[in-house]
């Protein structure tokens, strides 16, 4: 008996969104956990009236709600359903809080999204005796914004008392961190500068990809969405508070395709002018950017045997 072999390979890529907790210096943490990734049955005969059931379940283990696009019949997720051989007969999706199938969801922290496809062989399909490999490619997208802020102190003289400084940054598969470069007061007093002795504040905006054990995803940065600003008495070259390409090197301007994999980072270096101060001032530097997180949890196969020839 000759057999027909068809490997159904399913690649799922998952992206996660997370919220605004923690400090600017923390490593990225909080992601999405793939709870189930299956294609059943493990063996399918072309002469049967059976079908393939594809299931994906993922849980938002980040620190805030995430927006997830499903699309019609899951077409925003299942990019290649091997349409020459298979048809999608049905599709169902739901979350822990929304049981109905929708084209998009808000997946709350700790909640799961479940997707279930039924894939039938097309009527009259002829399976080559030599065998054929059919791949299924899935992409799960969670699109969101991350933000950060950092306060610095401007002193009229070195002997002015240090003021308390605050900072905050989103935690998730990518962190956007602000790191002020020490001025004349040195590394012993980070984020503190003396008007007159320091003419500028040099700031690094660091976009850092996830660091985790095992399989990690990829962060796809929407460069054109990057925004940064400061408050007085710090200012930019144009004497404003919006920080732009003329104030920085390596500024995200949409000309590159920035994607960060495990532990990778990109620094945007900016120079801000220090205005004259007669008393201690604590201006705030802020930034935000949109990105997408994609994660590949592995692959699954299903055997399809041709029983037409005995």
């Amino acid at each position: 008996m000759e057999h027909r072999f068809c490997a159904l390979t399913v690649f799922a890529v998952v992206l996660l969104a997370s919220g605004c907790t923690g400090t600017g210096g923390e490593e990225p943490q909080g992601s999405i956990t793939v709870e189930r990734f299956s294609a059943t049955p493990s063996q399918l005969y072309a002469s049967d009236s059976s079908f393939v059931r594809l299931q994906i379940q993922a849980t938002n283990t980040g620190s805030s709600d995430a927006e997830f696009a499903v699309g019609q019949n899951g077409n925003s997720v299942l990019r290649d359903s091997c349409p020459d051989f298979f048809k999608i007969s049905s599709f169902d999706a739901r979350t822990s809080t929304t049981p109905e199938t929708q084209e998009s969801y808000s997946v709350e922290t700790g909640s799961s999204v479940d997707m279930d496809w039924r894939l039938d062989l097309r009527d009259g399909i002829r399976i080559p005796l030599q065998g054929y490999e059919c791949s299924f490619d899935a992409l799960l997208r969670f699109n969101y914004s991350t933000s950060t802020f950092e306060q610095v102190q401007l002193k009229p003289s070195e002997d002015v008392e240090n003021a308390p400084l605050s900072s905050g940054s989103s935690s998730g598969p990518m962190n956007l961190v602000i790191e002020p470069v020490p001025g004349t007061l040195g590394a012993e007093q980070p984020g503190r500068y003396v008007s007159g002795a320091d003419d500028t504040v040099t700031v690094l905006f660091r976009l850092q990809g996830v660091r985790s054990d095992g399989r990690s995803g990829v962060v796809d940065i929407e460069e054109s969405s990057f925004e940064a600003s400061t408050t007085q008495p710090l200012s930019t070259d144009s004497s404003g508070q919006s920080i732009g390409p003329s104030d920085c090197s390596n500024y995200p301007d949409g000309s590159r395709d920035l994607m960060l994999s495990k532990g990778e980072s990109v620094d945007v270096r900016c120079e801000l002018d220090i205005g004259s101060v007669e008393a201690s001032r604590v201006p705030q530097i802020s930034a935000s950017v949109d990105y997408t997180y994609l994660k590949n949890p592995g692959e699954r196969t299903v055997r399809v045997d041709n029983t037409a020839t005995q």
Side-chain angles (χ1 to χ4, degrees):
M1 179 177 66
E2 296 186 40
H3 292 280
R4 154 80 171 94
F5 176 76
C6 179
L8 309 184
T9 307
V10 188
F11 299 94
V13 183
V14 186
L15 159 163
L16 165 271
S18 64
C20 188
T21 59
T23 63
E26 291 183 347
E27 290 185 354
Q29 54 186 309
S31 186
I32 194 160
T33 302
V34 178
E35 309 287 356
R36 180 186 301 125
F37 180 47
S38 63
T40 54
S42 60
Q43 187 175 34
L44 182 66
Y45 292 95
S47 59
D48 291 346
S49 298
S50 56
F51 58 89
V52 172
R53 186 181 184 188
L54 174 64
Q55 293 177 292
I56 299 176
Q57 182 189 62
T59 301
N60 179 3
T61 52
S63 58
S64 74
D65 299 350
E67 292 300 319
F68 175 57
V70 175
Q72 187 176 15
N73 289 327
N75 60 5
S76 293
V77 177
L78 192 60
R79 298 185 298 177
D80 185 356
S81 60
C82 197
D84 290 341
F85 286 83
F86 286 90
K87 61 182 179 181
I88 298 176
S89 299
S90 65
F91 171 73
D92 295 296
R94 59 199 174 278
T95 68
S96 304
T97 56
T98 306
E100 303 86 8
T101 299
Q102 299 180 171
E103 294 192 10
S104 64
Y105 293 94
S106 177
V107 184
E108 299 177 356
T109 301
S111 296
S112 297
V113 56
D114 291 84
M115 289 160 289
D116 192 332
W117 291 263
R118 171 173 171 149
L119 307 171
D120 286 279
L121 282 170
R122 292 191 176 277
D123 296 337
I125 196 71
R126 295 179 63 89
I127 307 297
L129 295 178
Q130 300 84 357
Y132 184 84
E133 186 173 290
C134 193
S135 296
F136 287 78
D137 185 8
L139 184 68
L140 282 70
R141 303 175 182 271
F142 290 80
N143 300 306
Y144 65 101
S145 297
T146 186
S147 60
T148 184
F149 74 91
E150 186 87 16
Q151 291 181 338
V152 298
Q153 182 182 14
L154 306 182
K155 301 181 178 184
S157 64
E158 291 187 26
D159 56 359
V160 172
E161 183 179 356
N162 287 345
L165 301 177
S166 298
S167 64
S169 180
S170 301
S171 65
M174 189 196 80
N175 268 3
L176 174 58
V177 179
I178 299 175
E179 295 185 3
V181 176
T184 56
L185 294 177
E188 295 77 13
Q189 297 194 53
R192 305 184 192 278
Y193 305 86
V194 178
S195 178
D198 295 304
D199 296 325
T200 61
V201 173
T202 301
V203 178
L204 298 180
F205 296 93
R206 175 160 297 158
L207 290 75
Q208 183 182 2
V210 69
R211 290 181 179 178
S212 62
D213 296 330
R215 186 186 295 272
S216 294
V218 175
V219 172
D220 187 0
I221 300 171
E222 187 180 335
E223 293 181 72
S224 60
S225 70
F226 181 82
E227 294 182 350
S229 63
T230 185
T231 58
Q232 293 180 348
L234 290 177
S235 62
T236 63
D237 284 344
S238 59
S239 299
Q241 271 61 60
S242 179
I243 302 172
S246 62
D247 309 302
C248 309
S249 60
N250 206 31
Y251 190 91
D253 57 5
S255 62
R256 298 164 295 174
D257 186 13
L258 272 182
M259 300 188 74
L260 305 178
S261 58
K262 188 175 182 179
E264 292 181 336
S265 63
V266 172
D267 286 344
V268 180
R269 186 183 183 94
C270 304
E271 301 288 336
L272 306 178
D273 297 328
I274 298 177
S276 177
V277 296
E278 297 180 357
S280 176
R281 299 284 299 274
V282 180
Q284 181 168 298
I285 305 166
S286 304
S288 65
V289 70
D290 299 336
Y291 71 94
T292 297
Y293 181 58
L294 307 106
K295 182 178 180 179
N296 186 344
E299 58 185 62
R300 301 293 183 267
T301 60
V302 173
R303 267 188 71 99
V304 176
D305 287 315
N306 190 338
T307 58
T309 303
Q310 302 292 333

